[in-house]
Amino acid sequence: WGFGTGVLVAGLLLAIEPAVARLLVPPEALDLFARSWPILALAQPLNAISFVTDGIHWGTRDYRYLRNGMLASTATGLALLWALVGLGSESLTAVWLVTSIWVCVRAAFGMLRIWPGLGNAPLKRR
C-alpha cells in the first residue's frame, strides 16, 4: 500500500509540475525547477517505503536497528553533500539527487530488516 501510494503521489507531482511552476517559481528559475522537480517526484515511492518500514520498526520497538539505518543513510547523504561544495548553479538538482539517494539507503535498510529478515528481525518467524 505504501509503495502504491508513493507511486500515486509521484504521478500527481509530475502532473501538477506546470501549475506549480507557473504559480510559485520565478521565470529566471524555471530551468532549474524543471530539472529538480522530477527527481523530487520520482523519489516518492522510496519515501513511502521508508516511512512504512520506519513505522514497522517503531511499532515493534526495533529502535536500535532503526537508529543504525538512519545513521548509515545520513552518513552517506552527508558525504555526498560534502562532495557537492562549489557545484554552483547545478546544486539544487544535485541536492535533490543526494536526498533521493539518502531515502533509497533508508528504504533499503528498512526493507532488508523486514524482508528477508536481516539479523534479529522483529517480524521474523522464530
Side-chain angles (χ1 to χ4, degrees), residues 5-67:
T5 302
V7 170
L8 288 173
V9 170
L12 176 66
L13 288 173
L14 291 171
I16 66 169
E17 178 183 354
V20 171
R22 203 172 35 258
L23 290 170
L24 302 174
V25 181
E28 59 273 7
L30 283 173
D31 186 48
L32 183 58
F33 174 80
R35 289 191 308 265
S36 301
W37 187 264
I39 297 167
L40 159 87
L42 295 174
Q44 297 314 302
L46 289 173
N47 271 331
I49 290 172
S50 293
F51 297 144
V52 167
T53 58
D54 283 356
I56 292 170
H57 295 307
W58 274 96
T60 59
R61 297 182 179 194
D62 195 13
Y63 304 124
R64 182 177 297 165
Y65 183 82
L66 185 60
R67 177 205 61 207

Side-chain angles (χ1 to χ4, degrees), residues 111-118 121 124:
M111 286 303 297
L112 285 172
R113 183 66 155 197
I114 294 166
W115 181 80
L118 183 68
K124 190 186 248 184

Side-chain angles (χ1 to χ4, degrees), residues 72-88 90-103:
S73 60
T74 300
T76 302
L78 286 173
L80 291 171
L81 283 174
W82 185 261
L84 297 178
V85 172
L87 196 56
E90 294 301 316
S91 60
L92 180 63
T93 303
V95 166
W96 277 111
L97 281 170
V98 168
T99 302
S100 297
I101 292 167
W102 175 73
V103 167

